[in-house]
Amino acid sequence: MAAQDTVMRDQDAHLDSISRSLGLINNMGLQIRDELDMQNNLLDDIEGGVNRTHGEMMSAQGRMKRLLQRTNDCKWMIAIVVLVGVVLILLSWVFRPQ
């Protein structure tokens, strides 16, 4: 009987150890789940930001296309080049050495 009691006590000790280990694993699993939930929320926020930015970029791209179509005329390009030249001349005159 004493040997059987010893075996049962050893088994109980092993079962207690296994139970503690399973409790730790359960806690780690819960922490991992919480971390994944938080990461998922952050990814959802990022996705929303990316979608908004994509919409804004598409809108800006449409405006740029319209602007390029309007300024595609050769007269506008010549006017822009002339104005840039005037600005460069004025800047060189303002910052000329004395």
Side-chain angles (χ1 to χ4, degrees):
M1 275 296 200
Q4 190 176 11
D5 288 342
T6 303
V7 170
M8 287 180 67
R9 277 194 295 271
D10 287 345
Q11 287 177 345
D12 284 345
H14 285 13
L15 288 174
D16 287 343
S17 176
I18 291 171
S19 178
R20 281 192 301 277
S21 295
L22 289 175
L24 291 173
I25 291 171
N26 183 45
N27 286 338
M28 287 177 14
L30 293 174
Q31 289 174 350
I32 290 171
R33 184 197 65 202
D34 291 343
E35 181 68 23
L36 288 173
D37 286 344
M38 185 178 68
Q39 297 276 333
N40 193 35
N41 289 336
L42 291 173
L43 287 173
D44 287 344
D45 290 345
I46 290 171
E47 182 182 19
V50 167
N51 289 339
R52 280 190 302 278
T53 303
H54 180 263
E56 292 170 3
M57 290 296 292
M58 295 304 290
S59 175
Q61 187 176 11
R63 288 192 303 269
M64 283 297 291
K65 281 182 182 178
R66 286 192 301 275
L67 178 65
L68 287 174
Q69 287 171 350
R70 281 190 235 148
T71 60
N72 201 15
D73 192 358
C74 186
K75 294 176 189 175
W76 285 106
M77 295 303 282
I78 292 171
I80 290 171
V81 170
V82 169
L83 289 174
V84 168
V86 169
V87 167
L88 291 175
I89 291 170
L90 288 174
L91 286 174
S92 67
W93 182 73
V94 168
F95 293 109
R96 71 180 184 274
Q98 302 264 341

